[in-house]
Amino acid sequence: MAVTEITNLEFGKMVQAAADKLNKNAEFINSLNVFPVPDGDTGTNMASSMASGAKYERAEHSTAVGDLSAALAKGLLMGARGNSGVILSQIFRGFAKAADGLDKLSAQDFVDAYANGAKTAYKAVMKPTEGTILTVVRESAQEGLNKIKETDDLTAIMHAIYESSEAALKTTPDLLPVLKEVGVVDSGGQGLVFVLQAFDEALSGRIDKSNSYKPDTAEVDEMVNAMDHQSVQGKLDPKDIEYTYCTQMLVRLGKGKQVTKQFDYDTFYNHLAKMGDSLLVLNDDQVVRVHVHTEHPGEVLTWGQQFGDLQTIEIHNMVWQQEEIMEHDDEEAAAGSADQAEEAASAPETAVIAVASGDGIAKLLKSLGVTHIISGGQTMNPSTQDITDAINQSGAKQALVLPDNGNIFMTADQAAKVADIPTKVVHTKTIAQAMSAMLEYNAEASLEDNQANMEEYMTTVASGEVTHAIRDTKIDGQEIQKDDFLGIVDGKIVSATPDLQETAIKMVKQMLDEDSEVVTILVGADGDSETAEAIKGAILDVDDELDVQIYDGGQPVYPYLISVE
């Protein structure tokens, strides 16, 4: 059957289907990492980002697709992890801008919005590279613009967009030589293809519900809490609460004496949507869980009983709860003001926030002047929200952020834009660069001067990483076998052997030059001091005047991080 418009129901199904699809395929996307190392996280990042977007979309009270698009874009932005997550958020940021003010999307509205998403994504990247997710979004958006000239059937248009994205994905190795050398397609592009495939399936009604992702109890509770918090928060006057009763029920479908109706999601949802707001309906073949704010909880329960018996019921008076909250807040306000004043007095003028994993590395960075650590790094990219929260909660008047990973750059840049205080990003790609940059940090200098000086000085250090290969591959002219140890210098594999110590020593020798003075070895969770000492000895055999320092970093993934400056 032809579909000529997208309402809130279709849009919600499309978004949830995309979140489900990315969640189920995250590991496959991760496996497309160019380097054969255990740090592929594109799939994880895109799945986490889309899950955040879907959560915001579900919590939006409006039924206008323009408003739902804006909620999705905001959720994607705040939950964005890694460059792929940020680019995905920019696609839907552009989509939302084009859909602003629209209750429903016609076929033309949809293709125009998606095309605007492609343009917005390109603009968000300083140096757009073909053979990436950008190629996939551009080519598929153009196909949508072409197809709308033939039909206004959104199922046909969406299918054409999806097929075009698959075709564009297959061209990425021809556009980006490193992909062809390794024999993979672009991982971010693959993630977008899964999103568009999910949209296609949702619009055509071909979603396999038996295999769809179902949130567990904790996730459902988090959704409910988020909705309740949006409706009743802060100093909201209880008189302004439109719907008094937060009503929840769990219905066993087809069971009970009063069953008169066969469950149909749209029919069930649409009826409840007329009774209140903050509606959440989740179901499988056996049960349906409902959360809604209403003035008539009894009618909600009666409606549910027509589809099955009521297994659990919860009804809370939100007006009464808010009155209690306000009384409690007033009592704490006076006591808390003194504590807040003390915290404000002790907060730094400038917060220096670094992303790092490993207790030893965190201590090292703090000893160099970093004031706040965000736990994360490779395979654990923090979200825009994580970084924004660290900035806003620092108590400082301004902030510097050191991402310490190239895949966190765009997330950090987005966080700096939405933070409550002036913030600059020092674009450190490695822990070694962060340590070097901190040597140039001047607490008395302006944000702009610190950013410029730190970014200039950090380029004087060479950064090496030792890890292991997770698959056979050929890259940078080297034949690499699964389980080989790899030495990677500033993003390029320079040594690969079956012996960890040999690999590390070969790597460091290539890092040294006549100007080298200091070598720092950070021992990771999978490293050991004996091997570190052996590496140190080999370095001193090359040049006994070098200052070689060993620290316990505690970092995951990389047994040894080695810097030369």
Side-chain angles (χ1 to χ4, degrees):
M1 185 177 73
V3 176
T4 57
E5 63 180 14
I6 295 174
T7 68
N8 62 309
L9 293 177
E10 285 84 21
F11 190 76
K13 290 177 182 178
M14 291 164 68
V15 171
Q16 188 58 55
D20 294 350
K21 184 77 74 173
L22 284 175
N23 181 71
K24 288 187 290 187
N25 291 281
E27 286 306 315
F28 171 71
I29 300 170
N30 287 344
S31 73
L32 299 176
N33 188 21
V34 170
F35 277 4
V37 295
D39 64 358
D41 51 14
T42 300
T44 303
N45 286 338
M46 294 187 79
S48 297
S49 303
M50 197 68 195
S52 175
K55 185 184 299 184
Y56 273 64
E57 189 273 339
R58 284 193 300 266
E60 172 57 50
H61 298 167
S62 173
T63 58
V65 177
D67 294 335
L68 295 172
S69 300
L72 170 65
K74 180 64 179 294
L76 275 163
L77 174 62
M78 300 313 294
R81 297 177 189 271
N83 294 339
S84 57
V86 173
I87 292 173
L88 189 64
S89 77
Q90 295 306 298
I91 292 172
F92 286 99
R93 175 172 171 261
F95 186 102
K97 283 192 172 182
D100 184 38
L102 299 177
D103 289 333
K104 303 174 183 179
L105 299 184
S106 67
Q108 188 69 59
D109 293 334
F110 178 79
V111 297
D112 287 346
Y114 184 55
N116 196 54
K119 292 179 182 178
T120 303
Y122 265 86
K123 290 178 182 178
V125 180
M126 186 173 296
K127 296 180 180 179
T129 301
E130 295 299 335
T132 65
I133 185 176
L134 295 176
T135 300
V136 176
V137 70
R138 176 174 53 77
E139 292 287 341
S140 57
Q142 185 58 53
E143 178 60 23
L145 293 171
N146 294 340
K147 193 69 176 177
I148 189 66
K149 298 174 183 177
E150 304 173 9
T151 179
D152 64 352
D153 180 3
L154 274 159
T155 59
I157 293 169
M158 191 66 246
H159 191 64
I161 290 174
Y162 160 55
E163 288 191 326
S164 175
S165 72
E166 278 201 318
L169 180 67
K170 291 176 181 177
T171 70
T172 57
D174 297 322
L175 298 171
L176 208 55
V178 68
L179 296 177
K180 176 168 281 191
E181 182 181 13
V182 177
V184 296
V185 294
D186 179 67
S187 56
Q190 178 65 80
L192 180 60
V193 168
F194 280 131
V195 170
L196 298 175
Q197 181 184 22
F199 282 6
D200 178 37
E201 292 172 349
L203 270 180
S204 62
R206 289 184 286 106
I207 295 177
D208 184 356
K209 294 183 179 179
S210 65
N211 291 325
S212 64
Y213 172 71
K214 297 180 179 64
D216 59 23
T217 300
E219 288 176 286
V220 173
D221 288 343
E222 186 179 354
M223 295 177 203
V224 170
N225 290 339
M227 285 182 162
D228 290 344
H229 180 69
Q230 281 195 348
S231 295
V232 185
Q233 55 184 311
K235 289 296 183 180
L236 178 65
D237 190 329
K239 296 177 182 177
D240 294 332
I241 296 176
E242 184 176 0
Y243 297 104
T244 304
Y245 300 100
C246 173
T247 305
Q248 299 183 57
M249 64 180 176
L250 187 65
V251 182
R252 290 198 310 163
L253 295 173
K255 305 290 185 180
K257 299 178 180 178
Q258 300 188 44
V259 176
T260 59
K261 297 181 183 296
Q262 184 75 23
F263 180 78
D264 173 75
Y265 184 91
D266 291 347
T267 301
F268 189 86
Y269 183 100
N270 289 340
H271 184 83
L272 290 173
K274 299 173 184 177
M275 294 188 181
D277 64 13
S278 297
L279 177 61
L280 179 67
V281 177
L282 299 170
N283 74 287
D284 57 23
D285 293 335
Q286 297 178 328
V287 300
V288 58
R289 179 168 178 170
V290 173
H291 166 278
V292 65
H293 295 171
T294 182
E295 279 298 293
H296 305 286
E299 293 181 15
V300 171
L301 303 183
T302 299
W303 175 248
Q305 278 188 294
Q306 296 179 64
F307 297 87
D309 61 15
L310 305 181
Q311 188 170 351
T312 60
I313 300 170
E314 288 185 35
I315 301 174
H316 301 287
N317 185 318
M318 294 188 295
V319 173
W320 178 80
Q321 287 178 330
Q322 185 66 2
E323 290 170 347
E324 292 287 301
I325 289 171
M326 291 182 65
E327 289 178 11
H328 181 68
D329 287 348
D330 289 341
E331 291 172 359
E332 288 192 338
S337 61
D339 292 337
Q340 291 173 359
E342 184 178 345
E343 289 178 7
S346 62
E349 181 82 11
T350 301
V352 183
I353 301 167
V355 179
S357 55
D359 292 340
I361 289 177
K363 290 177 182 177
L364 271 174
L365 292 175
K366 285 193 171 183
S367 73
L368 294 170
V370 170
T371 60
H372 298 77
I373 297 290
I374 299 174
S375 180
Q378 203 63 37
T379 75
M380 298 178 291
N381 295 165
S383 67
T384 305
Q385 186 73 65
D386 293 334
I387 299 175
T388 304
D389 286 347
I391 296 168
N392 293 343
Q393 295 170 13
S394 67
K397 295 181 180 179
Q398 56 186 16
L400 288 169
V401 177
L402 284 66
D404 302 342
N405 186 304
N407 202 38
I408 305 176
F409 281 6
M410 293 183 72
T411 311
D413 288 338
Q414 291 298 319
K417 291 178 181 178
V418 300
D420 294 339
I421 59 176
T423 302
K424 294 290 183 181
V425 178
V426 179
H427 294 87
T428 49
K429 290 184 177 180
T430 64
I431 295 298
Q433 287 190 348
M435 294 168 64
S436 179
M438 286 307 300
L439 297 177
E440 277 296 293
Y441 174 65
N442 179 358
E444 303 301 320
S446 67
L447 280 181
E448 292 76 13
D449 286 347
N450 267 321
Q451 180 192 44
N453 294 337
M454 293 167 77
E455 289 192 344
E456 180 180 1
Y457 193 76
M458 74 186 190
T459 60
T460 63
V461 63
S463 304
E465 305 163 331
V466 179
T467 186
H468 70 277
I470 59 172
R471 67 171 187 269
D472 295 347
T473 192
K474 180 180 178 182
I475 187 172
D476 294 334
Q478 297 193 66
E479 294 283 352
I480 297 170
Q481 306 299 317
K482 183 177 182 293
D483 296 327
D484 275 354
F485 289 98
L486 307 177
I488 306 171
V489 178
D490 293 326
K492 183 174 182 177
I493 298 174
V494 300
S495 62
T497 79
D499 184 78
L500 187 152
Q501 185 172 311
E502 179 185 352
T503 298
I505 292 171
K506 282 186 175 180
M507 180 190 76
V508 177
K509 285 182 177 179
Q510 294 195 48
M511 296 169 71
L512 296 171
D513 60 32
E514 59 184 15
D515 296 323
S516 299
E517 296 178 354
V518 179
V519 179
T520 302
I521 302 173
L522 299 178
V523 183
D526 297 324
D528 60 80
S529 58
E530 182 179 348
T531 303
E533 289 291 346
I535 296 171
K536 176 179 178 178
I539 294 170
L540 293 175
D541 287 341
V542 175
D543 185 349
D544 60 8
E545 293 186 2
L546 288 169
D547 178 12
V548 183
Q549 304 170 358
I550 300 175
Y551 298 98
D552 179 16
Q555 71 275 2
V557 182
Y558 300 102
Y560 303 96
L561 296 176
I562 303 175
S563 63
V564 177
E565 52 188 317

